[in-house]
């Protein structure tokens, strides 16, 4: 009876000591490593970083190419198209659901995005190798 009571007390004391040691060491290393790991979080790495995909309401034509080539807009959103080239271009949906008509050099045009969500490829009807995609969602 005496023996078991003694050993129980010893075990309890050892456990308390271990807890104290563990608490001490973990709080020590945690304090020194946490700040450097969490401070360098930038703004979310989202669509605009890619360069060819973007969300917005403007497309620029330059060097016989659309920029961005893939644009995401809301249903019915008005999109402005700027022509920076020295020749006329159009931005015309392959299914004709939108069309800027001919945009002269240095001029701008616009179109209204379809109301139905989906992916709409478009081309320049004058230079049909020019193409891009409008995503509505
Ligand atoms: Cu063109």
């Amino acid at each position: 009876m005496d023996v078991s009571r003694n050993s129980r007390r010893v075990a309890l004391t050892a456990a308390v000591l271990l807890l104290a040691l563990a608490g001490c060491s973990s709080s020590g290393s945690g304090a020194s490593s946490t700040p450097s790991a969490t401070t360098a979080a930038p703004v979310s790495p989202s669509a605009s970083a890619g360069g060819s995909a973007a969300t917005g309401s403007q497309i620029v034509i330059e060097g016989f190419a659309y920029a961005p080539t893939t644009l995401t807009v809301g249903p019915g959103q008005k999109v402005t198209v700027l022509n920076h080239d020295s020749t006329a271009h159009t931005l015309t949906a392959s299914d004709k659901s939108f069309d800027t008509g001919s945009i002269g050099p240095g001029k701008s045009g616009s179109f209204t995005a379809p109301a139905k969500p989906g992916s709409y490829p478009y081309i320049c009807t004058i230079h049909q190798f020019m193409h891009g995609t409008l995503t509505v969602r």
Side-chain angles (χ1 to χ4, degrees), residues 7 25 27 30 32 37-38 47 65 73-74 82-83 86 105:
S7 65
S25 67
S27 74
S32 63
T38 49
V73 299
L82 304 176
N83 180 5
S86 55

Side-chain angles (χ1 to χ4, degrees), residues 61 64-66 83 85 87-91 103 123-130:
I61 302 174
F64 292 82
Y66 299 104
N83 180 5
D85 275 349
T87 183
H89 294 293
T90 78
L91 191 158
I103 306 170
I123 60 165
C124 172
T125 57
I126 305 168
H127 316 99
Q128 300 197 358
F129 58 90
M130 294 173 60

Side-chain angles (χ1 to χ4, degrees), residues 4-21:
S4 73
R5 191 192 258 171
N6 262 342
S7 65
R8 194 182 290 164
R9 181 176 286 165
V10 167
L12 192 69
T13 306
V16 169
L17 278 171
L18 279 173
L19 278 174
L21 283 170

Side-chain angles (χ1 to χ4, degrees), residues 4-125:
S4 73
R5 191 192 258 171
N6 262 342
S7 65
R8 194 182 290 164
R9 181 176 286 165
V10 167
L12 192 69
T13 306
V16 169
L17 278 171
L18 279 173
L19 278 174
L21 283 170
C24 192
S25 67
S26 76
S27 74
S29 66
S32 63
S33 67
T34 309
S36 60
T38 49
T39 40
V43 193
S44 64
S46 59
S48 60
S52 68
T55 301
S57 58
Q58 181 176 292
I59 296 170
V60 173
I61 302 174
E62 192 156 30
F64 292 82
Y66 299 104
T69 54
T70 303
L71 184 72
T72 300
V73 299
Q77 186 174 334
K78 187 182 176 186
V79 180
T80 301
V81 183
L82 304 176
N83 180 5
H84 287 182
D85 275 349
S86 55
T87 183
H89 294 293
T90 78
L91 191 158
T92 307
S94 300
D95 66 0
K96 300 287 196 274
S97 56
F98 52 88
D99 184 7
T100 62
S102 181
I103 306 170
K107 296 287 198 320
S108 68
S110 68
F111 66 89
T112 301
K116 191 181 165 203
S119 198
Y120 297 86
Y122 59 79
I123 60 165
C124 172
T125 57

